[in-house]
Amino acid sequence: ETTTTTTAPPVPIAQLALGDSVMLGAAGELTARGYTVDAQESRQFSDGRAIVEQLSADGRLGDVVVVHLGTNGNIEPADLTAMMDALAEVPQVLLLTIDVDRSWTEGNNALIFDAASTYPNASVLYWADLAASCPGDCFQSDGFHLRPDGQKYYAELIDGALEALEAPA
C-alpha cells in the first residue's frame, strides 16, 4: 500500500502592506480595503527586507506590495536593493516616502526615489509632501502617528495611487 502526500501550493498575498508604526496606525483602514497588513512598531527597513525575502522564497508575494519603512532609522542601500530584487516579480510595488523630523529622513527619501526610478514595477507615494494636506485631526501629538482622520486619509492615498497605476495611459 502506497501513501501519497500532496502539499497545496502557497497562497499569494494579493495586496501586502508592509510597514512600521505609522502604517500600523492605519491597519484597520487598510484591512477593510483588502490589504493584508504586516506593520510593527519600531520596525527597521532591514526587518522588512527579511520579511519580503522570505515571502518571495515561499511564493507568497501577490500583485501588490506597499512598503512604508524608514521612519525608525537609516535605510541601508544594500537592504533596499535586496528588497527590490525580491519584489522584482510583483507587478505593483508602491513605496511611501517618510515624513519625520529626523537626520535620516532626507537620505531615506532619496533612496526611495532612486529605487522607483531604477525598478520598473515600483512607484512612489509622496507621503512626506501629502501628509500636511490631510483634512481634519490627522496626527498624534508627535506629528506623524495617525489619528482616525489621518488613518482614513493614508489608506485613501494608497488606494488612489494604486488605482492611478492601473489606469490606462
Side-chain angles (χ1 to χ4, degrees):
E1 201 172 301
T2 305
T3 304
T4 304
T5 304
T6 306
T7 304
V11 177
I13 300 167
Q15 295 185 122
L16 173 65
L18 179 67
D20 53 34
S21 60
V22 176
M23 182 180 279
L24 182 61
E29 283 285 336
L30 291 166
T31 300
R33 294 163 186 266
Y35 296 89
T36 299
V37 179
D38 184 340
Q40 186 176 18
E41 189 175 324
S42 301
R43 178 174 278 160
Q44 296 293 319
F45 195 93
S46 57
D47 299 326
R49 167 198 172 174
I51 291 165
V52 166
E53 287 177 327
Q54 186 62 56
L55 289 171
S56 177
D58 293 345
R60 300 283 321 276
L61 295 174
D63 291 335
V64 173
V65 176
V66 178
V67 178
H68 193 184
L69 290 167
T71 302
N72 297 302
N74 288 312
I75 297 173
E76 294 299 327
D79 286 330
L80 182 56
T81 298
M83 178 186 281
M84 295 308 297
D85 288 347
L87 292 169
E89 300 302 315
V90 174
Q92 291 185 341
V93 177
L94 183 64
L95 305 171
L96 278 68
T97 59
I98 60 168
D99 184 39
V100 291
D101 185 18
R102 302 287 190 269
S103 61
W104 54 80
T105 298
E106 186 177 335
N108 285 358
N109 285 342
L111 287 170
I112 290 166
F113 288 120
D114 287 348
S117 67
T118 303
Y119 294 86
N121 63 333
S123 58
V124 175
L125 175 60
Y126 296 75
W127 177 245
D129 294 339
L130 294 168
S133 299
C134 182
D137 184 14
C138 297
F139 299 97
Q140 302 288 346
S141 60
D142 61 17
F144 57 92
H145 287 105
L146 302 170
R147 297 179 53 80
D149 290 344
Q151 296 163 11
K152 182 177 180 197
Y153 178 70
Y154 181 90
E156 287 172 349
L157 286 175
I158 290 171
D159 272 352
L162 290 169
E163 287 170 14
L165 291 170
E166 292 174 359

